[in-house]
PDB file of all heavy atoms in Angstrom:
ATOM      1  N   ARG U 251      37.990 -26.013  -2.411  1.00  0.00           N
ATOM      2  CA  ARG U 251      38.905 -27.132  -2.606  1.00  0.00           C
ATOM      3  C   ARG U 251      40.178 -26.847  -1.835  1.00  0.00           C
ATOM      4  O   ARG U 251      40.510 -25.695  -1.591  1.00  0.00           O
ATOM      5  CB  ARG U 251      39.175 -27.377  -4.089  1.00  0.00           C
ATOM      6  CG  ARG U 251      39.572 -26.145  -4.892  1.00  0.00           C
ATOM      7  CD  ARG U 251      39.819 -26.484  -6.354  1.00  0.00           C
ATOM      8  NE  ARG U 251      38.600 -26.484  -7.160  1.00  0.00           N
ATOM      9  CZ  ARG U 251      38.371 -27.315  -8.174  1.00  0.00           C
ATOM     10  NH1 ARG U 251      39.243 -28.238  -8.479  1.00  0.00           N
ATOM     11  NH2 ARG U 251      37.254 -27.228  -8.873  1.00  0.00           N
ATOM     12  N   GLY U 252      40.843 -27.881  -1.406  1.00  0.00           N
ATOM     13  CA  GLY U 252      42.066 -27.679  -0.642  1.00  0.00           C
ATOM     14  C   GLY U 252      42.282 -28.819   0.331  1.00  0.00           C
ATOM     15  O   GLY U 252      41.743 -29.913   0.145  1.00  0.00           O
ATOM     16  N   ASP U 253      43.039 -28.509   1.375  1.00  0.00           N
ATOM     17  CA  ASP U 253      43.421 -29.507   2.367  1.00  0.00           C
ATOM     18  C   ASP U 253      42.407 -29.574   3.491  1.00  0.00           C
ATOM     19  O   ASP U 253      41.986 -28.538   3.994  1.00  0.00           O
ATOM     20  CB  ASP U 253      44.766 -29.083   2.976  1.00  0.00           C
ATOM     21  CG  ASP U 253      45.909 -29.827   2.347  1.00  0.00           C
ATOM     22  OD1 ASP U 253      45.640 -30.673   1.463  1.00  0.00           O
ATOM     23  OD2 ASP U 253      47.055 -29.546   2.733  1.00  0.00           O
ATOM     24  N   HIS U 254      42.051 -30.770   3.892  1.00  0.00           N
ATOM     25  CA  HIS U 254      41.191 -30.953   5.062  1.00  0.00           C
ATOM     26  C   HIS U 254      39.918 -30.124   4.966  1.00  0.00           C
ATOM     27  O   HIS U 254      39.543 -29.451   5.928  1.00  0.00           O
ATOM     28  CB  HIS U 254      41.934 -30.552   6.349  1.00  0.00           C
ATOM     29  CG  HIS U 254      42.889 -31.598   6.796  1.00  0.00           C
ATOM     30  ND1 HIS U 254      44.182 -31.705   6.306  1.00  0.00           N
ATOM     31  CD2 HIS U 254      42.747 -32.615   7.684  1.00  0.00           C
ATOM     32  CE1 HIS U 254      44.787 -32.715   6.878  1.00  0.00           C
ATOM     33  NE2 HIS U 254      43.939 -33.304   7.714  1.00  0.00           N
ATOM     34  N   VAL U 255      39.300 -30.147   3.812  1.00  0.00           N
ATOM     35  CA  VAL U 255      38.065 -29.374   3.644  1.00  0.00           C
ATOM     36  C   VAL U 255      36.918 -30.104   4.336  1.00  0.00           C
ATOM     37  O   VAL U 255      36.684 -31.285   4.083  1.00  0.00           O
ATOM     38  CB  VAL U 255      37.733 -29.173   2.150  1.00  0.00           C
ATOM     39  CG1 VAL U 255      36.381 -28.500   2.003  1.00  0.00           C
ATOM     40  CG2 VAL U 255      38.815 -28.360   1.470  1.00  0.00           C
ATOM     41  N   ARG U 256      36.233 -29.409   5.234  1.00  0.00           N
ATOM     42  CA  ARG U 256      35.045 -29.961   5.899  1.00  0.00           C
ATOM     43  C   ARG U 256      33.910 -28.959   5.732  1.00  0.00           C
ATOM     44  O   ARG U 256      34.074 -27.788   6.061  1.00  0.00           O
ATOM     45  CB  ARG U 256      35.292 -30.186   7.390  1.00  0.00           C
ATOM     46  CG  ARG U 256      36.361 -31.203   7.706  1.00  0.00           C
ATOM     47  CD  ARG U 256      35.877 -32.639   7.406  1.00  0.00           C
ATOM     48  NE  ARG U 256      36.899 -33.636   7.720  1.00  0.00           N
ATOM     49  CZ  ARG U 256      37.908 -33.962   6.907  1.00  0.00           C
ATOM     50  NH1 ARG U 256      38.047 -33.365   5.746  1.00  0.00           N
ATOM     51  NH2 ARG U 256      38.801 -34.869   7.275  1.00  0.00           N
ATOM     52  N   LEU U 257      32.799 -29.436   5.241  1.00  0.00           N
ATOM     53  CA  LEU U 257      31.672 -28.529   5.004  1.00  0.00           C
ATOM     54  C   LEU U 257      30.632 -28.660   6.109  1.00  0.00           C
ATOM     55  O   LEU U 257      30.549 -29.683   6.789  1.00  0.00           O
ATOM     56  CB  LEU U 257      31.030 -28.841   3.660  1.00  0.00           C
ATOM     57  CG  LEU U 257      31.861 -28.368   2.467  1.00  0.00           C
ATOM     58  CD1 LEU U 257      31.741 -29.333   1.325  1.00  0.00           C
ATOM     59  CD2 LEU U 257      31.440 -26.973   2.054  1.00  0.00           C
ATOM     60  N   ALA U 258      29.861 -27.603   6.245  1.00  0.00           N
ATOM     61  CA  ALA U 258      28.777 -27.617   7.230  1.00  0.00           C
ATOM     62  C   ALA U 258      27.596 -26.849   6.658  1.00  0.00           C
ATOM     63  O   ALA U 258      27.780 -25.889   5.902  1.00  0.00           O
ATOM     64  CB  ALA U 258      29.236 -26.963   8.533  1.00  0.00           C
ATOM     65  N   VAL U 259      26.412 -27.305   6.993  1.00  0.00           N
ATOM     66  CA  VAL U 259      25.218 -26.540   6.635  1.00  0.00           C
ATOM     67  C   VAL U 259      24.215 -26.711   7.767  1.00  0.00           C
ATOM     68  O   VAL U 259      24.100 -27.779   8.370  1.00  0.00           O
ATOM     69  CB  VAL U 259      24.612 -26.982   5.283  1.00  0.00           C
ATOM     70  CG1 VAL U 259      24.164 -28.438   5.313  1.00  0.00           C
ATOM     71  CG2 VAL U 259      23.454 -26.081   4.902  1.00  0.00           C
ATOM     72  N   ARG U 260      23.557 -25.616   8.078  1.00  0.00           N
ATOM     73  CA  ARG U 260      22.563 -25.668   9.136  1.00  0.00           C
ATOM     74  C   ARG U 260      21.340 -24.888   8.685  1.00  0.00           C
ATOM     75  O   ARG U 260      21.466 -23.808   8.094  1.00  0.00           O
ATOM     76  CB  ARG U 260      23.127 -25.034  10.407  1.00  0.00           C
ATOM     77  CG  ARG U 260      22.288 -25.274  11.623  1.00  0.00           C
ATOM     78  CD  ARG U 260      22.403 -26.724  12.033  1.00  0.00           C
ATOM     79  NE  ARG U 260      21.577 -27.020  13.181  1.00  0.00           N
ATOM     80  CZ  ARG U 260      21.238 -28.249  13.549  1.00  0.00           C
ATOM     81  NH1 ARG U 260      21.668 -29.281  12.847  1.00  0.00           N
ATOM     82  NH2 ARG U 260      20.493 -28.446  14.602  1.00  0.00           N
ATOM     83  N   VAL U 261      20.175 -25.417   8.975  1.00  0.00           N
ATOM     84  CA  VAL U 261      18.925 -24.729   8.644  1.00  0.00           C
ATOM     85  C   VAL U 261      18.102 -24.585   9.907  1.00  0.00           C
ATOM     86  O   VAL U 261      17.988 -25.534  10.690  1.00  0.00           O
ATOM     87  CB  VAL U 261      18.107 -25.512   7.589  1.00  0.00           C
ATOM     88  CG1 VAL U 261      16.782 -24.810   7.325  1.00  0.00           C
ATOM     89  CG2 VAL U 261      18.898 -25.683   6.316  1.00  0.00           C
ATOM     90  N   ARG U 262      17.554 -23.415  10.126  1.00  0.00           N
ATOM     91  CA  ARG U 262      16.580 -23.239  11.200  1.00  0.00           C
ATOM     92  C   ARG U 262      15.335 -22.619  10.585  1.00  0.00           C
ATOM     93  O   ARG U 262      15.391 -21.534   9.996  1.00  0.00           O
ATOM     94  CB  ARG U 262      17.104 -22.311  12.303  1.00  0.00           C
ATOM     95  CG  ARG U 262      18.250 -22.852  13.132  1.00  0.00           C
ATOM     96  CD  ARG U 262      17.834 -23.991  14.057  1.00  0.00           C
ATOM     97  NE  ARG U 262      16.644 -23.701  14.855  1.00  0.00           N
ATOM     98  CZ  ARG U 262      16.669 -23.121  16.046  1.00  0.00           C
ATOM     99  NH1 ARG U 262      17.802 -22.740  16.597  1.00  0.00           N
ATOM    100  NH2 ARG U 262      15.551 -22.908  16.721  1.00  0.00           N
ATOM    101  N   VAL U 263      14.231 -23.316  10.717  1.00  0.00           N
ATOM    102  CA  VAL U 263      12.949 -22.791  10.254  1.00  0.00           C
ATOM    103  C   VAL U 263      12.212 -22.261  11.473  1.00  0.00           C
ATOM    104  O   VAL U 263      12.114 -22.958  12.486  1.00  0.00           O
ATOM    105  CB  VAL U 263      12.115 -23.889   9.560  1.00  0.00           C
ATOM    106  CG1 VAL U 263      10.719 -23.377   9.228  1.00  0.00           C
ATOM    107  CG2 VAL U 263      12.827 -24.378   8.308  1.00  0.00           C
ATOM    108  N   PHE U 264      11.729 -21.030  11.391  1.00  0.00           N
ATOM    109  CA  PHE U 264      10.947 -20.438  12.474  1.00  0.00           C
ATOM    110  C   PHE U 264       9.510 -20.301  11.980  1.00  0.00           C
ATOM    111  O   PHE U 264       9.265 -19.667  10.946  1.00  0.00           O
ATOM    112  CB  PHE U 264      11.517 -19.075  12.864  1.00  0.00           C
ATOM    113  CG  PHE U 264      12.944 -19.161  13.342  1.00  0.00           C
ATOM    114  CD1 PHE U 264      13.994 -19.130  12.432  1.00  0.00           C
ATOM    115  CD2 PHE U 264      13.232 -19.310  14.687  1.00  0.00           C
ATOM    116  CE1 PHE U 264      15.310 -19.224  12.862  1.00  0.00           C
ATOM    117  CE2 PHE U 264      14.553 -19.410  15.128  1.00  0.00           C
ATOM    118  CZ  PHE U 264      15.591 -19.368  14.213  1.00  0.00           C
TER     119      PHE U 264
END
Side-chain angles (χ1 to χ4, degrees):
R251 50 180 85 215
D253 261 359
H254 282 85
V255 174
R256 297 288 181 278
L257 286 144
V259 62
R260 191 71 182 163
V261 177
R262 292 290 311 271
V263 173
F264 300 86

